[in-house]
Amino acid sequence: MTLAAPDDRLTQMNSGNALELRGITKMFGALAAIADVTLTVRPGERRAVLGSNGAGKTTLFNCITGDFPATSGIIRFFGEDVTAFPPYERIRRGLRRTYQISSLFAGLTVMDNVYLACRGVSRNRYSLLRPRSDDALVHAAETLVEAVNLTAVRDQLVGELAYGQQRQLEIALALSGAPRFILFDEPAAGLSPTERRDLVTILTSLPSHIGYIIIEHDMDVALRVVESVTMMHNGRIFKEGLPSEIEDDPEVQELYLGGGHG
Amino acid sequence: MDKFAKTNPAWALVIALVVVAFLWLVLAPWPTELEAAIGRKRVFLNALLGGITLGALYFLVASGFTLIFGLLRIVNLAHGSLFLLGGYIGYEVTNYTGSWFLAFPIVFVAVGLVGLAMQRFIFAYMEGEELRQTLVSIGLSVVLADVMLWYWGGQSYTTLAPGFLRGPMELPLISSINTTSGEAIFIRYPSVRIWILIAAIVIGVAMWLVLNRTSLGMLIRAGVDDREMLAASGVRIQLVFLAVFVFGAGLAGMAGVVGGTFQSLSPGEDTRFLLASLVVVIVGGMGSIVGAAIGALVIGIAEQMGLVYAPTYSVVFTFLIMAAVLAFRPQGFLGAGR
Amino acid sequence: MAPARAPDRLWFERIPMAWWIVVAVLLTMPLFANNFWLFQVMGWSFILGTIAVSLTFLAGYGGMVSLLQMSIAGLAGYMVAILGPSGTTSISLGLAWWIVLPAAFLIAAVFATLCGALAVRTEGIYTIMITLAIAAAFFYFTRQNYTIFNGYSGFNLVLPPQLFGVNWRDPAPFYYLCLGCAALCYGAVVYITRSPFGLALQGVRDNPRRMAALGFNVTAHRVAAHALASVFASVGGILLVWQNAQIAPGTIGIPAAIDILVVAVIGGIRRPLGAFVGAFIYVILQVFSPDILGTFGFSAERFKLIIGLGFLAVVLFSPDGVLGLWDRWRARRARRVDPLTGAPR
C-alpha cells in the first residue's frame, strides 16, 4: 500500500481512480481558501487529510461534493467529470460525506433521517405512497441504524439525541445506499474515548471497496484507519506519504503534531 | 463603464443606440409618419413624464421599505398602511391649517411615532424571527386598514396643493411644431408633479449622501453587511434600528401626502402602494437605495406607458418585468448576491 | 418510517374517543342543523379549510409561506366558469363536467408550478413577497381582462353538474360534498406527510443543504410541492365557485389571499387540522359578528378589526395557533394531575 509516484499518477488518469482533483481552486472574494490542489485517490483507498485550522480541508470537501462549487479546476469521480454537477448528482453517483458540525433533520426521527438518506439515492424520491413495512429501504435503514448502535433511540426525534448519538447518525447517513467513496469531516470531534473506539471499529470494518478521505485532528484515530496521508497548509498540499512517514517527518512534527505528540 | 464597453462591445453598442433613439424621441419634434404610426408626441411625453413622476412617488414609498429591510431584515407589509395613514393625516392638516407645506413635517413626526411604537414595542421583541415579524406586520396592516376605514370612511380624498403649484408649467421639451407658423409648441405639465420629482431626487441624493458619506451611514451600511459584527462592536444597534425604522415610516407617511396630492386617497390605496413597493424592491434589489430608485423609475414608466399604449395589459407589463428579473437575476438589479 | 410494531390494539381502537364523536356529529349534522348552518357556516368552513390546508402543506411541511393559494383556487374556479356553463354565455364554453374538472385542475397546477418555480428562485422571507406580488398581478389581470376573465363582473350562474339526479347546491348534498372533499384533502395531506415525498419535503424545510448532500434535488422538490398543493387549493376553489354560484376578481383579491394565511395561522400552521379549525373560527366570527357588533353599536365592517386583532394575538402569543393553545392547556392539566396519581395522565 504505497502511494503511486506523481508521474505514475498522471499516466493513470481516467484509468480507475475513485477521485481525481486537478488544479482545484476556491476563491472567497480575493482570498484563496484552497489553491491549485491536485489529488488522486484509488478505489478503496483510505486517506487522511491533515492540517491546521484554516488549511482548507473542509473547503476541499465542499468543492468535492459541490456544496460550494470550485472556482476553477476539474473533479473526476470514477472517471466521470462531475465538475459542473450539482451536489445531488454527485451523491447519486456514490459520493457521500459527513459534516463537521452535525447536519441532521432535527424535527424528524432517527429512522426517518436514515430512511431519507436511503431514499435520496434510490428511485421514487417523489412517491406519494407510504412505504410498507416490508419495504427494502426501510430494512436498509433499520440495518444502518443498528450498525451505528442507535436502535434503542430509533423512534426519537433527532433534536433530542445526545451529541455522540448525533455524530453516529451523521455517519449512518453517509453509509446509506451504495456508497463508493465517503468524505468524513472530523467524525471523532467531541466523542468520548469509548465512542472513538466504536468509530474506529465502524471505519475499519467498512467493506474494502469503499474508499474514504478523513479529516481528523485526533492522530490516534486518523493514522489507525488510513493507508495514506495528505498534508495541507494554507490551502495547498505540501506533503503526501504513508502514515508512518508522516508521523516521523520532523517538519510535520513541528508544524502540526506539536509538543504533545512529539 | 469603460470596462463594460471593452468587455461587451456588442451590448455597449446596442445600449448606446437605444439611448440615442430614446433621446431623439424625447427631444426632436416627431415627423408626421411616426405620429401616424404610434400617436402624437404629446401623448408619449405625457406618459413618460407621468411615469417618471409616478416613479418618484414609488421611490419615496419604496426607499423606506428597502432601508428597513436592508438593516432590520423586517419585511414590513404594513408599509402601505403607513403611506395611507400619512395621506389622511396630511389631508386633515392641510384642511385645518390651510398650509400644504406644514403637512409634511407634521405627518413625518406623526407617522414616524407610529413606526417607533411598532418597532419599539413589537418588532424589537422578535428580532431574527423574520416570518413572525412579517406575519405581525400583516396583522397590523389589517387592523390599521380597518381603523382608517372606521375613521375616514370609504370615500376618496384629494389634498389640494397650494395655488402657485396647482397650474401647469412649460417644460423645455418640444411637443410639436405649429404647421402654420412654424413655431415650436412646448409641453405643459402640472408643476406640482415636477416639484415633487425634484423633491424626491433631493431626498434620494440626501439619503445616498448620508449613507455613503457620514459616520451614521457607515454604521448603517456596516449593519446591512454584518449585523453580528456591528452588535458585537458595542454600538447601540437598537438605537440605529429604531432611527432607521422611524425614518422609513416617516418617509412613507410623507409619500402619502404626495400621493394624496397626485391622485387620491381611499381604502385599498395602502395595498396598491405596498405592492408597488414590493415590486420596486424585488426589481431594484432588496436593501439598496439606488436599486429602489432604478426599480421605481422602471416600474413607474412601465405602468404609465402600459396605461397609454396597452391599457388592458398594463399590469402584465409590470408583472412580466418582475418575473423576468426573478428568473434571470433573483437578487434584483442591484441586490447583493445571496 | 417506523412500521407499527406488534400492534396490541386494532387501528380503529387507537383513535381517541373525541374523534369518533366529531365524526358522528359531522355525519349526522343535516338531521338537526338548519340549511343556513349547513350551507353557509359548515360548507364555507370546509371550503376555506381546504384552501388553507394547501398552505399548511406548503408552509408547515415545506417551509414556504405562499400567498398564492387563493389565486390558484380562484383560477380553478374561473376555469370551471369559463370552460363549463355559466350565465355569461358569450365567454363560457359550456363543456361537459368530465372535461371541465380535469382541465381546471390541470391549468391550476400548471399555473402553480410556474409561479412556484419563480418563487423558489429565492428563499425564506422573499417567498411571501413574491407570491404576494404575483397574487396581486393575477387579481388586477382578471379585473382588466374582459376576453377571458370577463373583467370586473366575472361570471355568475356557475352551478355544479346534476350528477346522479342530485342538485348538489341543495344544502344537505352540498354539505356532504364539502365534507367529503375536505376529509379527502385532510386525509391526503396527513397520509403524504409520511410518504417519501412528504418526508423529503420536511427534510428540505429543516436543512436544504443536507438534503442536496443526500441526493435530493431541493429546487425540484419545492416546485413539486407547489404543484401538489395546487390540487387541494383547486378543490376548494371549485367548491367555492359552486357555493357562491359566481366568481369575480374580488374573490381572489389581496384581502382574500391574506385571509387564507390568517385562517391557517389562527388554527395552527404546523398541522393540517389547524387549517379547518382556523376556517371554522373565521367563518363563525364572520357570520355572527354583525349581530354581536350590532348590539354594541358597531358597524358589521368592524369584523375585519376583530379578525386582525385575533390574528395579531395568535402570532404574538401562540405561534402554534389555537391548536397550540389547546395542547398547552391539556399539558398543564396533565401536569396538575400527575403528582397525585403518579401515572402519566
Side-chain angles (χ1 to χ4, degrees), chain B residues 132 134-135 146 312 326-327, chain C residues 121 125 136 144 302 311 315-316:
Chain B
R132 206 159 152 226
T134 310
L135 292 181
D146 201 65
T312 322
L326 277 175
Chain C
R121 300 272 303 164
I125 210 70
Q144 285 179 2
R302 297 294 82 76
F311 175 72
V315 178
L316 288 175

Side-chain angles (χ1 to χ4, degrees), chain A residues 62 65 67-68 87-89 91-92 95-99 102-109 111-113 115-117 119-121 124-133 138 142 154-155 170 173-174 176, chain C residues 1-5 57 61 187-225 228 232 270:
Chain A
N62 283 332
T65 57
D67 281 34
F68 299 128
Y88 60 87
E89 287 290 356
I91 301 300
R92 290 175 192 176
L95 181 66
R96 300 284 186 279
R97 80 170 287 186
T98 71
Y99 288 83
S102 292
S103 182
L104 305 162
F105 307 100
L108 301 178
T109 65
M111 267 298 282
D112 287 346
N113 270 259
Y115 178 79
L116 267 183
R119 182 53 79 178
V121 288
N124 296 332
R125 275 175 290 261
Y126 294 90
S127 170
L128 295 177
L129 297 179
R130 290 187 183 184
R132 292 143 49 117
S133 54
V138 174
E142 275 168 347
R154 47 171 278 166
D155 293 327
E170 183 79 33
L173 296 191
S176 61
Chain C
M1 214 28 35
R5 274 170 300 166
F57 179 72
Y61 294 135
V189 170
V190 171
Y191 179 85
I192 289 168
T193 313
R194 307 286 313 154
S195 73
F197 178 73
L199 276 177
L201 198 60
Q202 293 167 70
V204 167
R205 172 197 68 197
D206 286 354
N207 197 340
R209 188 175 151 206
R210 184 57 195 249
M211 282 304 277
L214 290 181
F216 289 92
N217 183 343
V218 170
T219 310
H221 262 85
R222 287 188 168 136
V223 175
L228 186 59
F232 309 125
R270 289 210 152 246

Side-chain angles (χ1 to χ4, degrees), chain B residues 8-30:
Chain B
N8 301 300
W11 276 111
L13 187 69
V14 170
I15 291 173
L17 280 177
V18 169
V19 168
V20 168
F22 178 76
L23 284 178
W24 181 82
L25 277 176
V26 172
L27 296 176
W30 288 11

Side-chain angles (χ1 to χ4, degrees), chain C residues 63-307:
Chain C
M64 297 172 283
V65 181
S66 163
L67 286 171
L68 262 172
Q69 297 316 107
M70 192 64 216
S71 310
I72 291 159
L75 181 63
Y78 260 117
M79 284 305 132
V80 167
I82 292 166
L83 300 175
S86 87
T88 315
T89 45
S90 55
I91 295 176
S92 289
L93 300 175
L95 299 173
W97 64 269
W98 48 269
I99 303 176
V100 172
L101 292 186
F105 277 102
L106 192 68
I107 292 170
V110 169
F111 178 68
T113 309
L114 290 177
C115 294
L118 272 187
V120 302
R121 300 272 303 164
T122 54
E123 267 189 42
I125 210 70
Y126 287 72
T127 311
I128 208 169
M129 298 174 47
I130 290 163
T131 52
L132 180 59
I134 299 176
F138 182 57
F139 161 71
Y140 285 118
F141 181 69
T142 55
R143 212 174 59 172
Q144 285 179 2
N145 181 291
Y146 278 84
T147 46
I148 304 173
F149 292 98
N150 201 26
Y152 204 82
S153 38
F155 298 84
N156 54 20
L157 290 176
V158 189
L159 302 173
Q162 296 264 351
L163 275 186
F164 313 115
V166 178
N167 178 6
W168 290 100
R169 259 193 111 233
D170 281 343
F174 189 74
Y175 169 81
Y176 280 119
L177 179 66
C178 290
L179 175 63
C181 289
L184 271 180
C185 290
Y186 171 75
V189 170
V190 171
Y191 179 85
I192 289 168
T193 313
R194 307 286 313 154
S195 73
F197 178 73
L199 276 177
L201 198 60
Q202 293 167 70
V204 167
R205 172 197 68 197
D206 286 354
N207 197 340
R209 188 175 151 206
R210 184 57 195 249
M211 282 304 277
L214 290 181
F216 289 92
N217 183 343
V218 170
T219 310
H221 262 85
R222 287 188 168 136
V223 175
H226 278 277
L228 186 59
S230 81
V231 176
F232 309 125
S234 301
V235 170
I238 292 169
L239 290 175
L240 186 65
V241 71
W242 283 343
Q243 190 200 24
N244 296 332
Q246 61 99 32
I247 187 162
T251 316
I252 55 162
I254 296 305
I258 287 178
D259 281 347
I260 296 300
L261 179 70
V262 168
V263 161
V265 168
I266 285 186
I269 203 161
R270 289 210 152 246
R271 272 182 288 178
L273 191 59
F276 294 95
V277 172
F280 186 65
I281 295 174
Y282 179 93
V283 170
I284 291 286
L285 278 178
Q286 168 95 303
V287 170
F288 294 104
S289 63
D291 298 336
I292 300 166
L293 286 168
T295 31
F296 292 101
F298 291 111
S299 138
E301 278 165 350
R302 297 294 82 76
F303 155 71
K304 276 281 174 191
L305 190 60
I306 296 178
I307 278 289

